[in-house]
Amino acid sequence: MAVFECIKRMIYMCILVLFLFGFIAETRIAPTTVDDDPEEVASMVSLSIQNSIERKLRQLQGSSLSCATGNSIDDCWRCDSNWYNNRKRLADCAIGFGRNTIGGRDGRFYIVTDSSDDDAVNLKVGTLRHAVIQSEPLWIVFQRDMVIQLKQELIMNSYKTIDGRGANVHIANEACITIQNVTNIIIHGLHIHDCKPTGNAMVRSSPSHFGWRGMADGDAVSIFGSSNVWIDHNSLSNCADGLVDVVMASTAVTISNNYFSHHNDVMLFGHSDSYTGDKDMQVTVAYNHFGEGLMQRLPHCRHGYCHVVNNDYSHGWGIYAIGGGANPTINSEGNRFVADLKRYPDSSEVTKRTSGDKLEWKNWNWISQGDLFLNGAYFVPSGATGANSEAYAKASSYAKAKKSSLVVAITSSAGALTCRKDHMCTSN
Ligand SMILES: *[C@@H]1O[C@H](CO)[C@@H](O)[C@H](O)[C@H]1NC(C)=O
């Protein structure tokens, strides 16, 4: 105890000495900038003292004050230049319907050292596939930059985080990620692109089980019969089917801070108009940047509840932005919708109803609150309860909308970040 007290006192002394040195050095030069009116000199000196005290205080408190962006996920962890040693902090930072997702927080770290994927049944230690099928919780990280070309779908087991921070990791050109019949998955910091249909093969899904997989569609991330899933800060583009699909009674999903580009059917939530198992589906889409070359389903929502909040639609949409069928609830808040009428002259309407007719649509609860519409973009709302429902209040408390004027700043580092040890992560 006494030793700790002593060390603590020494640290305080050092801080005090540094503080005084800085203070003297800065005040000394201040008066030379004004002429000799004594009152002015006095007030300059006092101002200078005040400034230097404030500056020192900010330095002592670390950088946490100056890096806040209003992005409540990033503000929770990104101000920490020691992210490398505090990786699991991320697991406490989700918002929205997937806010309770812990991924592999309570498990060991697993370091992927081998980018190969030669056999989807007999797995090599050190590969991503060997990591994700394990039964125990794992926080999976990468030893170095790598491009992983998966021969078959990467079938994930529960309680896993794939954390790409600190390496430039691409899952590309072949199969991609399947989150099926599991819970608690975090996917963070990956580049996932050019995914292709694969299948008609045996694939391992746990240490004790492998089975026959038919053809997969070629989604970047397919979420099927799963809950508590958080897809954050990934760069997603150009796949054969969807970029993120949420189907077959999946729920408690948050899709945040991703950069989407160059793709047709971006996000499908809800398997089909007739599959009512998706009535309980709840998905939050927050802080994403919808960039160039996107056509439709940003997202498309069926049956369940879709909260679309503080996203930037900066490059228009070829067909529609937010759509849905089979009476979904769509709650659009604080987004920035910029139509691109040069490229897509017929696509100024944000919304599209893809089943039913006008009579039915009257009862579909589609709300727009605080959205910003530019270049002629417009949203066609519908529904009786509007913003008065209990579900609305809940969704909006899990992911509180910021003003749409802040959206450009909030989404400015969407996509996979560049993270170096001992430095704050930055956008590319
Ligand atoms: C998930 O459940 C469905 C339906 O029971 C089954 O057909 C499918 O094979 C399961 N997927 C995995 C990866 O276990």
Short mmCIF file of all heavy atoms in Angstrom, two decimals, residues 218-262:
data_model
loop_
_atom_site.label_atom_id
_atom_site.label_comp_id
_atom_site.label_asym_id
_atom_site.label_seq_id
_atom_site.Cartn_x
_atom_site.Cartn_y
_atom_site.Cartn_z
N GLY A 218 -24.27 -16.49 -52.78
CA GLY A 218 -23.16 -15.55 -52.99
C GLY A 218 -23.40 -14.23 -52.29
O GLY A 218 -23.12 -13.15 -52.84
N ASP A 219 -23.93 -14.29 -51.05
CA ASP A 219 -24.07 -13.09 -50.21
C ASP A 219 -22.72 -12.77 -49.56
O ASP A 219 -21.93 -13.67 -49.31
CB ASP A 219 -25.05 -13.35 -49.05
CG ASP A 219 -26.48 -13.56 -49.53
OD1 ASP A 219 -26.84 -13.03 -50.60
OD2 ASP A 219 -27.23 -14.24 -48.81
N ALA A 220 -22.50 -11.50 -49.27
CA ALA A 220 -21.32 -11.14 -48.47
C ALA A 220 -21.51 -11.66 -47.05
O ALA A 220 -20.64 -12.34 -46.51
CB ALA A 220 -21.11 -9.63 -48.48
N VAL A 221 -22.65 -11.31 -46.44
CA VAL A 221 -22.97 -11.81 -45.10
C VAL A 221 -24.42 -12.28 -45.13
O VAL A 221 -25.33 -11.47 -45.38
CB VAL A 221 -22.80 -10.72 -44.02
CG1 VAL A 221 -23.17 -11.28 -42.65
CG2 VAL A 221 -21.38 -10.16 -44.01
N SER A 222 -24.64 -13.56 -44.88
CA SER A 222 -25.99 -14.10 -44.85
C SER A 222 -26.34 -14.46 -43.41
O SER A 222 -25.67 -15.28 -42.78
CB SER A 222 -26.05 -15.34 -45.73
OG SER A 222 -27.20 -16.09 -45.41
N ILE A 223 -27.39 -13.81 -42.88
CA ILE A 223 -27.81 -14.05 -41.49
C ILE A 223 -29.14 -14.80 -41.55
O ILE A 223 -30.13 -14.29 -42.06
CB ILE A 223 -27.96 -12.72 -40.72
CG1 ILE A 223 -26.63 -11.94 -40.76
CG2 ILE A 223 -28.40 -12.97 -39.28
CD1 ILE A 223 -26.74 -10.50 -40.25
N PHE A 224 -29.15 -16.04 -41.07
CA PHE A 224 -30.25 -16.98 -41.30
C PHE A 224 -30.60 -17.63 -39.97
O PHE A 224 -29.74 -18.26 -39.34
CB PHE A 224 -29.75 -18.00 -42.32
CG PHE A 224 -30.70 -19.08 -42.75
CD1 PHE A 224 -31.20 -19.11 -44.04
CD2 PHE A 224 -31.05 -20.11 -41.88
CE1 PHE A 224 -32.05 -20.14 -44.46
CE2 PHE A 224 -31.90 -21.13 -42.29
CZ PHE A 224 -32.41 -21.15 -43.58
N GLY A 225 -31.80 -17.44 -39.47
CA GLY A 225 -32.22 -18.07 -38.22
C GLY A 225 -31.32 -17.73 -37.05
O GLY A 225 -31.08 -18.56 -36.17
N SER A 226 -30.81 -16.51 -36.99
CA SER A 226 -29.83 -16.14 -35.96
C SER A 226 -30.24 -14.86 -35.23
O SER A 226 -31.04 -14.08 -35.73
CB SER A 226 -28.45 -15.94 -36.60
OG SER A 226 -27.99 -17.18 -37.12
N SER A 227 -29.67 -14.67 -34.04
CA SER A 227 -30.01 -13.47 -33.26
C SER A 227 -28.76 -12.90 -32.61
O SER A 227 -27.76 -13.59 -32.45
CB SER A 227 -31.03 -13.81 -32.19
OG SER A 227 -30.49 -14.77 -31.31
N ASN A 228 -28.86 -11.63 -32.19
CA ASN A 228 -27.74 -10.90 -31.61
C ASN A 228 -26.52 -10.93 -32.54
O ASN A 228 -25.51 -11.57 -32.27
CB ASN A 228 -27.38 -11.42 -30.22
CG ASN A 228 -28.43 -11.01 -29.20
OD1 ASN A 228 -28.63 -9.83 -28.96
ND2 ASN A 228 -29.12 -11.98 -28.67
N VAL A 229 -26.68 -10.22 -33.63
CA VAL A 229 -25.63 -10.13 -34.63
C VAL A 229 -25.34 -8.65 -34.88
O VAL A 229 -26.26 -7.84 -35.01
CB VAL A 229 -26.07 -10.81 -35.95
CG1 VAL A 229 -24.98 -10.67 -37.01
CG2 VAL A 229 -26.41 -12.28 -35.71
N TRP A 230 -24.05 -8.30 -34.92
CA TRP A 230 -23.65 -6.90 -35.13
C TRP A 230 -22.59 -6.84 -36.23
O TRP A 230 -21.52 -7.43 -36.09
CB TRP A 230 -23.10 -6.33 -33.81
CG TRP A 230 -22.71 -4.90 -33.89
CD1 TRP A 230 -23.21 -3.93 -34.72
CD2 TRP A 230 -21.72 -4.24 -33.07
NE1 TRP A 230 -22.61 -2.72 -34.48
CE2 TRP A 230 -21.69 -2.88 -33.48
CE3 TRP A 230 -20.88 -4.67 -32.05
CZ2 TRP A 230 -20.82 -1.96 -32.90
CZ3 TRP A 230 -20.02 -3.75 -31.47
CH2 TRP A 230 -20.00 -2.41 -31.88
N ILE A 231 -22.93 -6.14 -37.30
CA ILE A 231 -22.04 -6.02 -38.47
C ILE A 231 -21.58 -4.57 -38.51
O ILE A 231 -22.37 -3.68 -38.84
CB ILE A 231 -22.82 -6.36 -39.77
CG1 ILE A 231 -23.58 -7.69 -39.65
CG2 ILE A 231 -21.88 -6.36 -40.98
CD1 ILE A 231 -22.71 -8.91 -39.48
N ASP A 232 -20.31 -4.28 -38.17
CA ASP A 232 -19.87 -2.90 -37.94
C ASP A 232 -18.56 -2.59 -38.67
O ASP A 232 -17.61 -3.39 -38.63
CB ASP A 232 -19.68 -2.72 -36.43
CG ASP A 232 -19.36 -1.29 -36.03
OD1 ASP A 232 -20.12 -0.39 -36.39
OD2 ASP A 232 -18.33 -1.08 -35.34
N HIS A 233 -18.50 -1.43 -39.31
CA HIS A 233 -17.25 -0.94 -39.95
C HIS A 233 -16.64 -1.91 -40.95
O HIS A 233 -15.43 -2.17 -40.92
CB HIS A 233 -16.20 -0.60 -38.88
CG HIS A 233 -16.28 0.83 -38.42
ND1 HIS A 233 -16.07 1.91 -39.26
CD2 HIS A 233 -16.56 1.36 -37.20
CE1 HIS A 233 -16.22 3.04 -38.57
NE2 HIS A 233 -16.53 2.74 -37.33
N ASN A 234 -17.47 -2.42 -41.85
CA ASN A 234 -16.95 -3.23 -42.95
C ASN A 234 -17.15 -2.49 -44.27
O ASN A 234 -18.02 -1.64 -44.38
CB ASN A 234 -17.70 -4.57 -43.00
CG ASN A 234 -17.58 -5.33 -41.70
OD1 ASN A 234 -16.53 -5.90 -41.40
ND2 ASN A 234 -18.63 -5.30 -40.89
N SER A 235 -16.33 -2.85 -45.26
CA SER A 235 -16.50 -2.32 -46.61
C SER A 235 -17.04 -3.43 -47.48
O SER A 235 -16.40 -4.48 -47.62
CB SER A 235 -15.15 -1.84 -47.16
OG SER A 235 -14.63 -0.82 -46.33
N LEU A 236 -18.22 -3.23 -48.04
CA LEU A 236 -18.93 -4.31 -48.72
C LEU A 236 -19.29 -3.89 -50.13
O LEU A 236 -19.85 -2.80 -50.33
CB LEU A 236 -20.22 -4.63 -47.95
CG LEU A 236 -20.03 -5.03 -46.48
CD1 LEU A 236 -21.20 -4.55 -45.62
CD2 LEU A 236 -19.89 -6.53 -46.35
N SER A 237 -18.99 -4.74 -51.11
CA SER A 237 -19.32 -4.38 -52.49
C SER A 237 -19.37 -5.58 -53.42
O SER A 237 -18.76 -6.63 -53.15
CB SER A 237 -18.29 -3.38 -53.03
OG SER A 237 -17.01 -3.97 -53.06
N ASN A 238 -20.13 -5.42 -54.47
CA ASN A 238 -20.03 -6.22 -55.69
C ASN A 238 -20.10 -7.73 -55.50
O ASN A 238 -19.21 -8.47 -55.91
CB ASN A 238 -18.69 -5.85 -56.38
CG ASN A 238 -18.70 -6.25 -57.84
OD1 ASN A 238 -19.74 -6.15 -58.49
ND2 ASN A 238 -17.58 -6.73 -58.33
N CYS A 239 -21.21 -8.20 -54.90
CA CYS A 239 -21.36 -9.65 -54.72
C CYS A 239 -22.47 -10.19 -55.62
O CYS A 239 -23.27 -9.44 -56.17
CB CYS A 239 -21.65 -9.96 -53.26
SG CYS A 239 -20.22 -9.64 -52.23
N ALA A 240 -22.51 -11.52 -55.74
CA ALA A 240 -23.48 -12.15 -56.64
C ALA A 240 -24.91 -11.97 -56.14
O ALA A 240 -25.83 -11.78 -56.92
CB ALA A 240 -23.16 -13.63 -56.79
N ASP A 241 -25.11 -12.02 -54.79
CA ASP A 241 -26.47 -11.82 -54.29
C ASP A 241 -26.50 -10.60 -53.36
O ASP A 241 -26.16 -9.52 -53.78
CB ASP A 241 -26.98 -13.10 -53.63
CG ASP A 241 -28.49 -13.07 -53.45
OD1 ASP A 241 -29.17 -12.60 -54.37
OD2 ASP A 241 -28.98 -13.51 -52.40
N GLY A 242 -26.91 -10.77 -52.09
CA GLY A 242 -27.03 -9.61 -51.21
C GLY A 242 -25.71 -9.25 -50.55
O GLY A 242 -24.78 -10.05 -50.53
N LEU A 243 -25.63 -8.01 -50.01
CA LEU A 243 -24.45 -7.68 -49.21
C LEU A 243 -24.67 -8.09 -47.75
O LEU A 243 -23.78 -8.69 -47.14
CB LEU A 243 -24.09 -6.21 -49.35
CG LEU A 243 -23.53 -5.83 -50.73
CD1 LEU A 243 -23.18 -4.35 -50.80
CD2 LEU A 243 -22.32 -6.68 -51.11
N VAL A 244 -25.83 -7.77 -47.19
CA VAL A 244 -26.18 -8.33 -45.88
C VAL A 244 -27.65 -8.74 -45.95
O VAL A 244 -28.53 -7.89 -46.12
CB VAL A 244 -26.01 -7.31 -44.73
CG1 VAL A 244 -26.33 -7.99 -43.39
CG2 VAL A 244 -24.59 -6.74 -44.70
N ASP A 245 -27.94 -10.02 -45.84
CA ASP A 245 -29.32 -10.50 -45.82
C ASP A 245 -29.65 -11.02 -44.43
O ASP A 245 -28.81 -11.65 -43.79
CB ASP A 245 -29.52 -11.61 -46.86
CG ASP A 245 -29.63 -11.04 -48.28
OD1 ASP A 245 -29.49 -9.82 -48.46
OD2 ASP A 245 -29.85 -11.84 -49.22
N VAL A 246 -30.86 -10.70 -43.97
CA VAL A 246 -31.31 -11.11 -42.63
C VAL A 246 -32.62 -11.85 -42.83
O VAL A 246 -33.64 -11.22 -43.14
CB VAL A 246 -31.50 -9.88 -41.72
CG1 VAL A 246 -31.98 -10.31 -40.33
CG2 VAL A 246 -30.21 -9.07 -41.61
N VAL A 247 -32.62 -13.17 -42.71
CA VAL A 247 -33.81 -13.94 -43.09
C VAL A 247 -34.10 -15.07 -42.11
O VAL A 247 -33.31 -15.36 -41.21
CB VAL A 247 -33.65 -14.53 -44.52
CG1 VAL A 247 -33.49 -13.43 -45.55
CG2 VAL A 247 -32.49 -15.52 -44.58
N MET A 248 -35.26 -15.72 -42.31
CA MET A 248 -35.68 -16.93 -41.60
C MET A 248 -35.64 -16.72 -40.07
O MET A 248 -34.91 -17.38 -39.35
CB MET A 248 -34.82 -18.12 -41.99
CG MET A 248 -34.96 -18.52 -43.46
SD MET A 248 -36.65 -18.95 -43.95
CE MET A 248 -36.77 -20.60 -43.30
N ALA A 249 -36.47 -15.77 -39.62
CA ALA A 249 -36.68 -15.51 -38.20
C ALA A 249 -35.42 -15.05 -37.47
O ALA A 249 -35.29 -15.28 -36.27
CB ALA A 249 -37.29 -16.73 -37.51
N SER A 250 -34.54 -14.40 -38.17
CA SER A 250 -33.41 -13.75 -37.48
C SER A 250 -33.92 -12.48 -36.81
O SER A 250 -34.87 -11.85 -37.28
CB SER A 250 -32.32 -13.36 -38.48
OG SER A 250 -31.75 -14.51 -39.07
N THR A 251 -33.29 -12.08 -35.71
CA THR A 251 -33.67 -10.82 -35.06
C THR A 251 -32.54 -10.30 -34.18
O THR A 251 -31.50 -10.96 -34.05
CB THR A 251 -34.97 -10.98 -34.24
OG1 THR A 251 -35.42 -9.67 -33.84
CG2 THR A 251 -34.77 -11.85 -33.01
N ALA A 252 -32.75 -9.12 -33.59
CA ALA A 252 -31.74 -8.47 -32.75
C ALA A 252 -30.44 -8.27 -33.54
O ALA A 252 -29.37 -8.71 -33.13
CB ALA A 252 -31.49 -9.26 -31.46
N VAL A 253 -30.57 -7.59 -34.67
CA VAL A 253 -29.44 -7.37 -35.57
C VAL A 253 -29.17 -5.87 -35.70
O VAL A 253 -30.12 -5.08 -35.83
CB VAL A 253 -29.74 -7.96 -36.96
CG1 VAL A 253 -28.62 -7.66 -37.95
CG2 VAL A 253 -29.98 -9.47 -36.87
N THR A 254 -27.91 -5.47 -35.65
CA THR A 254 -27.52 -4.09 -35.95
C THR A 254 -26.47 -4.09 -37.06
O THR A 254 -25.49 -4.85 -37.00
CB THR A 254 -26.95 -3.38 -34.70
OG1 THR A 254 -27.99 -3.23 -33.74
CG2 THR A 254 -26.42 -1.98 -35.05
N ILE A 255 -26.71 -3.26 -38.06
CA ILE A 255 -25.79 -3.12 -39.19
C ILE A 255 -25.36 -1.66 -39.19
O ILE A 255 -26.17 -0.78 -39.48
CB ILE A 255 -26.51 -3.51 -40.49
CG1 ILE A 255 -26.95 -5.00 -40.40
CG2 ILE A 255 -25.63 -3.27 -41.71
CD1 ILE A 255 -27.94 -5.41 -41.44
N SER A 256 -24.09 -1.40 -38.82
CA SER A 256 -23.68 -0.02 -38.57
C SER A 256 -22.32 0.30 -39.17
O SER A 256 -21.47 -0.59 -39.32
CB SER A 256 -23.61 0.22 -37.06
OG SER A 256 -22.78 -0.73 -36.44
N ASN A 257 -22.12 1.56 -39.51
CA ASN A 257 -20.79 2.07 -39.90
C ASN A 257 -20.17 1.36 -41.09
O ASN A 257 -18.94 1.36 -41.25
CB ASN A 257 -19.80 1.96 -38.72
CG ASN A 257 -20.09 2.96 -37.62
OD1 ASN A 257 -20.37 4.13 -37.90
ND2 ASN A 257 -20.03 2.51 -36.38
N ASN A 258 -20.99 0.73 -41.92
CA ASN A 258 -20.44 0.04 -43.08
C ASN A 258 -20.42 0.95 -44.29
O ASN A 258 -21.21 1.89 -44.38
CB ASN A 258 -21.27 -1.21 -43.40
CG ASN A 258 -21.29 -2.18 -42.23
OD1 ASN A 258 -20.29 -2.82 -41.93
ND2 ASN A 258 -22.42 -2.23 -41.53
N TYR A 259 -19.52 0.67 -45.23
CA TYR A 259 -19.49 1.39 -46.50
C TYR A 259 -19.97 0.44 -47.59
O TYR A 259 -19.35 -0.59 -47.84
CB TYR A 259 -18.08 1.90 -46.82
CG TYR A 259 -18.09 2.86 -47.97
CD1 TYR A 259 -18.19 4.24 -47.75
CD2 TYR A 259 -18.06 2.42 -49.29
CE1 TYR A 259 -18.24 5.13 -48.81
CE2 TYR A 259 -18.11 3.30 -50.35
CZ TYR A 259 -18.20 4.65 -50.10
OH TYR A 259 -18.27 5.54 -51.15
N PHE A 260 -21.09 0.79 -48.21
CA PHE A 260 -21.67 -0.05 -49.26
C PHE A 260 -21.45 0.63 -50.61
O PHE A 260 -21.68 1.83 -50.74
CB PHE A 260 -23.18 -0.20 -49.05
CG PHE A 260 -23.57 -0.93 -47.79
CD1 PHE A 260 -23.87 -0.24 -46.62
CD2 PHE A 260 -23.67 -2.32 -47.78
CE1 PHE A 260 -24.26 -0.92 -45.46
CE2 PHE A 260 -24.06 -3.00 -46.63
CZ PHE A 260 -24.34 -2.30 -45.47
N SER A 261 -21.02 -0.14 -51.61
CA SER A 261 -20.90 0.44 -52.95
C SER A 261 -21.01 -0.64 -54.02
O SER A 261 -20.88 -1.83 -53.72
CB SER A 261 -19.56 1.18 -53.08
OG SER A 261 -18.50 0.27 -52.92
N HIS A 262 -21.27 -0.20 -55.25
CA HIS A 262 -21.27 -1.06 -56.44
C HIS A 262 -22.01 -2.38 -56.23
O HIS A 262 -21.43 -3.46 -56.21
CB HIS A 262 -19.82 -1.35 -56.87
CG HIS A 262 -19.05 -0.09 -57.10
ND1 HIS A 262 -19.34 0.79 -58.12
CD2 HIS A 262 -18.05 0.49 -56.41
CE1 HIS A 262 -18.54 1.83 -58.06
NE2 HIS A 262 -17.75 1.68 -57.02
#
